[in-house]
Structure formats: structure tokens, C-alpha cells
Amino acid sequence: MIGFAVTAEQAQAANDAVALAQTSRGLPVFWLPGAYHIYTGYHAGLTFVPCDEIILSTPLRGNPPLTPVDFPEFAEIVESLGGLDARVTIQPQDIIDPDAP
Amino acid sequence: MIYQYSNRLGTKPAGLDPDAKAYANAVVATGATVSAAQKNAISDFVKTGKADGWYSSIKRLYLPIWGAASPNAIDIIGLTSGLFIGTLTHGAGFVQGNGTTGFFDIGSTPNALGMSTSGGSAFALVYEQDSRTDTRYFLGQTDGSNRRVFLRQDGSTAISTTLYNAGISVTNSSSARTGVFIGVVNTTSNRYLKRRASSGIAYTTTRTETDANIQSSARNVFAMALNNNGTVASWCDAKMGLYGLGLGFSDSDGNKFTLALKTMWETCTGLTIP
């Protein structure tokens, strides 16, 4: 999985900014990239924010549909996470809580 | 033509149902296109439900066929928006999580929707099965006391549902993981799981043992994953044509409801369930 491995605070701030980009336009919050604690692997302890090509090209709304990269806030949000070049690849099982029932 | 005849016979009022029209308008407001045929299909679904008497039992119904997140997040019943999170594909006629991060938060709990052991349901149209063969949730939530509402695949050999119960789940040992599924509780001793395939009702599995009258928690229900007491888990990568939650349905109404769901989705998408 491709995305950012950042602090929980950075991940929350990024998701909050994406939510604000929607509410500031009078819209409900209908899409977020998400934030997942990383339990295992090299980035254990950090928080994963998905940012793969499908995320970047997600059709959101409009005709033709706008994608996240079409919004002016996109560059600033990505920069707050270190920029696209800072993205990492983790394994799906890394975000699964090993102690979950 | 069939629609015109039904109107003349007085079984349904003429014109678009106002609730269906409001939903279509909400979808259009997001930039999506709703054809006249799609509007009629949605309207026919609503009119059928109102005429049959089961429409008021639907509390949330999502039709994620529009190819974009905003229209796909709209609830037909209340016109509120749910929330897509993570990596998902918004296809023509379905939404598909990636099986590792993508899911949908309906933004409400079973209790808030009025579901109880006196009446609850979870339903989903699965167009293409999950690529994995372990436990994956079409809809699900559980709390710290293991009070659960879910509809899921149990590996590659069963579908199961649990609604507000201590220990009695309804399971069907079938390898079929596509179709229209509905899990229902009508009383503490009246539960069933039903699957509708292209050929009709494939099975209705019932459980009549009396279980404890346990209410569910204040956890939101997720689609395409499980809300495991606040942590997302067991993501599903099946292609989902629709999903929702409701009150109870008699067996007869469950047959009618799943047929109406199938008809609406197939007419709107031009696709057919396997």
C-alpha cells in the first residue's frame, strides 16, 4: 500500500484539512483519505495515510468529476505530509491490530 | 408500457414518486447524470415499496452506481451523506474497496436508526465477490461487549448475519458470495438470512431459538468493512451495487424487497447479478 507514514497529529491534520475543503464549500464530508495506525513493519508506531494512484484519481463530484488533485488545497495538504516523494510502501497486514479480537 | 398499464390499473400513482425525485435531484446536484430510465427505476422501487408496505422499514439505502464519491454517498431515504474513507474505486454501477483501507461509514448506529430485536435488517447487493476467501464484511459493527450487527462472508463456504443477539447467528453454508443478501431479525426468536440470485430466491435460512434481548452499541455501521469497536477491520473488496439497513421484514416482504432492489439496480446499471 502506498501512502504517507507520519505522526498521528499530521495524519489527523491532513484529514481535517480534506474535510474542511468540503465543508467550506457548503458540502457534507463525503470523502477522506483515512488514517490508520501502523502496528508492525519498519514504520510501526506511525500513522498511515493512503495516497496511491487510485486515491489521487478518486472521482469526487462535478461533471466531469473533480479529483483530489484538482482542488487548490491539495498541494498544501500533501506538502504538510512531506510531499509526494515522501510516500512509502507498507504491507496491508502492518495496519491490522495483532491484538484485535 | 408496463409502467403505463400499472398506472391505469391504479396500483401506483402516476409520475415520479416525490421521494425518488428528491433523491435524483440530490444526485444531479453533485454533477452526476441521472437518465429518465434511471429516475423511473428508482421511482418504481419507491412506489412498489410504499404500495407493498415495506418502504417505511428501510432506514438507510445507498445506491453507489454513479461513478463518483459525492453522489454515491447519498442515502436514498434521508438524503444525508455517508463518508467514503481510504482507497475505493467508484465504478459504473458499483463501488469497490481495495480490501485493505477503503470502506464506507454510514454515519449512524443501529440504535439511532431504530433497529432492535423487534425489527432490524442489513442488506447488500454483491455484484462481484471478494477476491479473498476469509471473513469479510459487507456491513458490520461490534462494540466492546461483542454486541453485533453484521452481514458477511465466512470464508468461501458461508454467508452469515447477526443482528442484536447474544449467540445466535444465521448462517448458510453456500459458496455463493454474490447476489442480494438480507439478514433480518423480527423478534428474539424470528431471524432469517435470505439470498436472491438471478434465478430468484436461492435460500432462506431461519433461526427460531429464543436469544437474549441484547441491544447494540453506539458504534457506526461500516459498509465494506467491520467497525470493530472503533477500529476498522476485515475490509472487503467485493463490488457492491447497493447496501443499507432497516427494520424487520416478514419473509414475504423480504422476497418482495430483494426483488425490488435487484430490479432497481439492474435497470439503473444495465448490469445483472450473477
Side-chain angles (χ1 to χ4, degrees):
Chain A
M1 304 191 296
I2 297 172
F4 297 99
V6 295
T7 66
E9 292 76 17
Q10 285 178 294
Q12 185 63 53
N15 276 270
D16 288 347
V18 173
L20 181 61
Q22 295 164 74
T23 56
S24 66
R25 291 170 171 81
L27 303 171
V29 181
F30 60 86
W31 180 82
L32 291 174
Y36 305 93
H37 183 72
I38 303 173
Y39 294 94
T40 58
Y42 181 78
H43 302 286
L46 295 175
T47 299
F48 181 69
V49 179
C51 191
D52 56 19
E53 293 309 308
I54 297 176
I55 286 272
L56 295 175
S57 61
T58 298
L60 296 176
R61 60 182 285 122
N63 189 5
L66 299 174
T67 67
V69 298
D70 295 321
F71 285 80
E73 296 92 337
F74 173 79
E76 184 178 346
I77 294 170
V78 168
E79 194 62 31
S80 73
L81 297 170
L84 287 177
D85 290 343
R87 289 180 296 171
V88 301
T89 299
I90 69 169
Q91 298 304 309
Q93 61 266 27
D94 289 347
I95 63 169
I96 296 174
D97 183 355
D99 297 324
Chain B
M1 187 64 76
I2 293 171
Y3 178 64
Q4 291 175 332
Y5 281 147
S6 69
N7 287 339
R8 290 176 191 169
L9 291 169
T11 56
K12 299 173 190 170
L16 291 179
D17 175 88
D19 292 338
K21 188 175 182 180
Y23 170 70
N25 288 341
V27 170
V28 168
T30 70
T33 300
V34 184
S35 71
Q38 290 170 322
K39 288 178 182 174
N40 283 333
I42 297 165
S43 181
D44 277 356
F45 169 81
V46 176
K47 287 179 178 178
T48 298
K50 289 178 177 177
D52 288 349
W54 45 256
Y55 186 74
S56 60
S57 292
I58 311 169
K59 295 305 171 187
R60 289 290 172 92
L61 173 55
Y62 300 93
L63 185 64
I65 66 171
W66 309 108
S70 184
N72 283 352
I74 299 172
D75 167 33
I76 289 179
I77 306 302
L79 304 183
T80 57
S81 179
L83 172 61
F84 289 104
I85 301 175
T87 300
L88 301 113
T89 298
H90 296 272
F94 61 87
V95 66
Q96 181 182 29
N98 66 343
T100 54
T101 64
F103 67 101
F104 182 73
D105 182 347
I106 74 161
S108 191
T109 70
N111 283 353
L113 296 176
M115 297 167 63
S116 72
T117 47
S118 298
S121 58
F123 45 89
L125 187 156
V126 182
Y127 171 55
E128 188 174 297
Q129 68 188 19
D130 194 284
S131 65
R132 288 77 50 91
T133 54
D134 53 359
T135 299
R136 299 289 164 180
Y137 286 76
F138 307 142
L139 291 156
Q141 66 87 239
T142 186
D143 73 358
S145 300
N146 203 30
R147 296 177 295 195
R148 303 164 295 170
V149 167
F150 69 69
L151 181 61
R152 73 184 188 192
Q153 68 171 44
D154 289 344
S156 61
T157 57
I159 299 292
S160 69
T161 189
T162 283
L163 293 145
Y164 293 102
N165 60 289
I168 296 177
S169 296
V170 189
T171 299
N172 184 277
S173 298
S174 167
S175 60
R177 293 182 284 144
T178 58
V180 183
F181 297 98
I182 184 168
V184 173
V185 55
N186 286 316
T187 71
T188 53
S189 60
N190 179 345
R191 304 167 190 276
Y192 69 80
L193 168 66
K194 188 184 296 290
R195 172 178 177 258
R196 176 176 288 280
S198 59
S199 57
I201 296 295
Y203 59 72
T204 301
T205 303
T206 60
R207 295 286 297 266
T208 57
E209 307 96 313
T210 300
D211 202 350
N213 188 355
I214 293 177
Q215 296 303 304
S216 188
S217 72
R219 294 293 183 187
N220 286 2
V221 179
F222 292 168
M224 296 171 281
L226 167 68
N227 182 350
N228 188 8
N229 195 29
T231 301
V232 60
S234 300
W235 292 266
C236 178
D237 70 6
K239 291 182 178 177
M240 309 291 289
L242 59 80
Y243 39 79
L245 298 161
L247 305 181
F249 289 86
S250 68
D251 182 66
S252 173
D253 280 350
N255 291 343
K256 295 174 184 174
F257 175 51
T258 54
L259 177 60
L261 288 173
K262 172 183 178 290
T263 300
M264 174 176 65
W265 181 79
E266 290 186 338
T267 305
C268 284
T269 64
L271 304 172
T272 55
I273 60 172

